Amino acid sequence: MEEFEPKIIAFLCKWCTYAGADLAGVSRLKFSPNAVPIKVMCSGRVDPSFVLDAFAKGADGVLVGGCHPGDCHYAQGNYKTLRRVKLLKMLLKDMGLEEERLRLEWISASEGNKFREVVNDMTLKLKEIGPSPLKTEELK
Amino acid sequence: MSKANIAFYWAASCGGCEIAVLDINEKILDVIEKANILMWPVAMDTKYEDVKKMKDRSIDVCFFNGAIRTSENEELAKLLRKKSKILVAFGSCAHEGCIPALANLFNKKLIFDRAYQETETTVNNDSILPMSSYEVKEGKLRIPEFYDTVKTLDQVVEVDYYIPGCPPTPNIVEDAFNKFLTGDLPPKGAVLAPVKALCDECPRKKKDKMIETVYRVYEKEADPEKCFLDQGIICMGPATRSGCGHQCIKGNMPCTGCFGKTPEVTDQGAKMISALASVLAVENELSLDEKKVEELISKIKDPVGTFYRYSLASSFIKRKVIK
Ligand code: SF4
Ligand code: FES
């Protein structure tokens, strides 16, 4: 059987994490190709419905990346993000999905290496817990 | 002018929507003057066979309340779709799943085990559970099949219009009847209620919200003048369509969300999570103390039942994953 390759939808804020991911790229760091980046202006732009929509459409994991606390370009976007992600994790748990499928990380524009490690680590963990059950769940 | 033909049907619902039709009081007489009622299980004894014999599209407007829980619900939805020109999802169950859809946190097996074996007042030593067919001497007996997942009406057939509410309020019902009887209808697919969120029209005094703790309704006597959210009581107003006339708010109870999401929102619970995330305050915000945030959030009991009390079946995730 082919090895399971998790699909991670990564919402990355333009000012920090996306730049960090870019840095990982231009530095030619090698890492798992499992994350599909989507650039947003701020992690605070990640509406909870984006995350749920991604899971409903079969994502195995969702990564939200934003600036470190205090560094958000819009001052407080990432504070809201933290609360949203915590609330979403609580919800996912109640809906029978593993909390680890949703991950929030603060990664700055200079942390290309951290981006690599987060993606590698998340890919590994998702391989352990397996494909999202929503992928195969046929409503009966 | 010839009279319009209308029909009412109930699927998985509590019966409140049937009563909601009568809540328009004497106006029901105007409806009867302009329309023949071909089917109305709560008031008339129409047999399914009679409906099957009707010509296709011979019902002008069919008001269908209730969610889809059994094969019978689904069969009737399909039959009435065929027989009706306009099919209306009447009330929250048909519209978004409502309370019956909270059973999507379980499946058929768990529900049957609980209802027919484990309940404290049940004695069922032979573990007899409902079966959709059963062989007896005289032949095969059948009852409808019970599904694992509750669905909304539009998840099994095409729906033309929606009337929100648990149950729909008299003003909404009356307005909808007028629209159908005069033919003054919005584009297909519309929800026949205002588009604004409840908060936009709420009479309570609002501040710049920053709530430091969350109370459940019974834990705090609410000030009847002030916004519930400002007082730390979760109110679904920011994520819920208006049109109900603030009945709960006026009764000093927070909105629980029965009118469903507003048109630009894709998922009512997600919208509420977003709104709530913006008002939950922790002391010394800038330190972004995760523990404190977690503590505050843990005061929200039953997130699914709070954020999706009426819309679980129509949400992105729809049901709990049960392994
Ligand atoms: S949250 Fe509730 S009480 Fe506050 S303004 Fe909105 S509807 Fe009114
Ligand atoms: S701009 Fe990066 S989190 Fe707000």
Side-chain angles (χ1 to χ4, degrees):
Chain A
M1 213 178 87
E2 243 179 78
E3 202 194 343
F4 156 62
E5 287 298 340
K7 184 159 202 162
I8 302 170
I9 303 299
F11 295 103
L12 312 177
C13 95
K14 172 187 154 111
W15 304 102
C16 289
T17 314
Y18 196 86
D22 229 12
L23 180 64
V26 294
S27 321
R28 298 179 170 265
L29 301 180
K30 281 211 165 36
F31 58 104
S32 319
N34 301 58
V36 182
I38 296 179
K39 181 159 50 170
V40 287
M41 289 307 281
C42 172
S43 68
R45 178 65 186 92
V46 183
D47 191 278
S49 63
F50 298 175
V51 174
L52 298 176
D53 197 8
F55 281 120
K57 293 203 167 96
D60 297 298
V62 173
L63 171 65
V64 179
C67 313
H68 283 271
D71 285 350
C72 169
H73 211 71
Y74 307 93
Q76 297 195 344
N78 49 2
Y79 297 131
K80 314 264 185 265
T81 312
L82 176 73
R83 291 160 174 64
R84 285 180 186 171
V85 168
K86 297 268 180 215
L87 282 162
L88 278 167
K89 277 176 175 270
M90 194 158 87
L91 182 73
L92 292 180
K93 220 166 93 208
D94 282 1
M95 297 305 285
L97 285 172
E98 299 82 356
E99 269 189 78
E100 299 90 325
R101 295 193 185 274
L102 175 59
R103 182 156 171 172
L104 172 65
E105 288 289 343
W106 312 130
I107 300 171
S108 80
S110 62
E111 292 176 315
N113 211 20
K114 179 168 180 193
F115 183 79
R116 173 179 77 162
E117 271 153 28
V118 165
V119 171
N120 278 346
D121 183 62
M122 192 167 175
T123 306
L124 211 70
K125 291 219 167 90
L126 288 173
K127 279 188 179 169
E128 273 164 32
I129 54 181
S132 162
L134 293 179
K135 252 184 200 159
T136 46
E137 180 91 345
E138 255 299 309
L139 293 187
K140 277 185 291 206
Chain B
M1 201 183 97
S2 69
K3 281 185 158 188
N5 290 323
I6 63 174
F8 298 97
Y9 187 68
W10 54 15
S13 64
C14 69
C17 279
E18 299 293 326
I19 309 305
V21 173
L22 296 176
D23 277 346
I24 63 171
N25 295 332
E26 68 285 355
K27 300 263 168 43
I28 191 78
L29 300 175
D30 299 344
V31 174
I32 290 170
E33 202 169 294
K34 294 193 187 109
N36 300 313
I37 301 179
L38 301 187
M39 180 189 200
W40 194 5
V42 78
M44 294 160 45
D45 185 20
T46 317
K47 302 289 184 218
Y48 291 170
E49 285 312 311
D50 302 336
V51 182
K52 284 185 189 150
K53 280 186 213 128
M54 291 177 188
K55 278 211 201 76
D56 286 359
R57 294 170 62 81
S58 58
I59 300 169
D60 291 302
V61 192
C62 174
F63 298 91
F64 190 107
N65 77 64
I68 308 300
R69 152 55 84 207
T70 66
S71 56
E72 181 195 26
N73 302 151
E74 181 167 357
E75 202 183 311
L76 262 287
K78 287 185 173 151
L79 179 64
L80 287 165
R81 173 68 275 183
K82 220 165 92 193
K83 302 297 174 190
S84 311
K85 289 199 187 93
I86 297 177
L87 180 67
V88 184
F90 185 100
S92 177
C93 291
H95 178 204
E96 300 193 313
C98 197
I99 307 293
L102 285 177
N104 287 357
L105 291 171
F106 306 87
N107 59 15
K108 172 176 167 174
K109 179 173 185 310
L110 292 170
I111 293 168
F112 275 20
D113 284 351
R114 176 74 194 144
Y116 296 106
Q117 318 218 66
E118 295 162 8
T119 34
E120 290 67 13
T121 49
T122 302
V123 180
N124 183 1
N125 293 334
D126 302 327
S127 297
I128 297 171
L129 297 179
M131 283 182 276
S132 43
S133 78
Y134 188 70
E135 212 67 69
V136 288
K137 185 155 88 277
E138 293 80 3
K140 217 179 216 156
L141 294 176
R142 285 177 198 284
I143 58 168
E145 190 173 340
F146 188 96
Y147 294 152
D148 272 327
T149 302
V150 172
K151 290 183 184 170
T152 62
L153 182 58
D154 68 3
Q155 287 167 353
V156 300
V157 291
E158 204 178 320
V159 168
D160 300 298
Y161 294 101
Y162 302 85
I163 300 178
C166 179
T169 48
N171 59 323
I172 294 287
V173 175
E174 199 188 317
D175 181 63
F177 282 160
N178 284 338
K179 284 196 163 78
F180 288 119
L181 294 175
T182 57
D184 170 24
L185 284 164
K188 195 177 144 166
V191 178
L192 305 178
V195 294
K196 282 193 173 166
L198 191 65
C199 288
D200 284 333
E201 300 180 346
C202 180
R204 293 193 172 224
K205 284 196 213 73
K206 296 154 235 179
K207 301 192 298 224
D208 253 350
K209 302 180 191 7
M210 261 307 153
I211 57 179
E212 278 158 23
T213 184
V214 175
Y215 299 100
R216 305 186 79 181
V217 180
Y218 70 87
E219 287 173 333
K220 182 175 178 164
E221 190 152 352
D223 179 332
E225 306 288 321
K226 289 193 198 141
C227 166
F228 282 106
L229 269 180
D230 280 340
Q231 303 181 61
I233 299 167
I234 294 182
C235 177
M236 287 288 286
T240 304
R241 191 184 280 268
S242 58
C244 57
H246 298 92
Q247 295 190 357
C248 302
I249 305 282
K250 282 187 197 148
N252 208 16
M253 287 294 281
C255 171
T256 54
C258 78
F259 264 48
K261 55 186 182 261
T262 53
E264 68 283 2
V265 170
T266 46
D267 185 296
Q268 192 183 16
K271 170 75 193 175
M272 192 59 204
I273 287 178
S274 173
L276 205 56
S278 311
V279 301
L280 290 174
V282 286
E283 207 186 324
N284 195 3
E285 165 95 311
L286 294 186
S287 70
L288 201 66
D289 185 337
E290 291 210 14
K291 279 270 150 334
K292 286 215 179 105
V293 174
E294 274 168 18
E295 227 171 81
L296 178 55
I297 283 171
S298 71
K299 300 225 171 78
I300 300 167
K301 304 294 175 210
D302 187 18
V304 179
T306 307
F307 304 139
Y308 291 100
R309 186 167 308 169
Y310 303 90
S311 66
L312 189 58
S314 66
S315 70
F316 277 124
I317 309 285
K318 295 188 176 60
R319 62 154 301 117
K320 179 170 178 168
V321 177
I322 294 166
K323 286 185 195 128

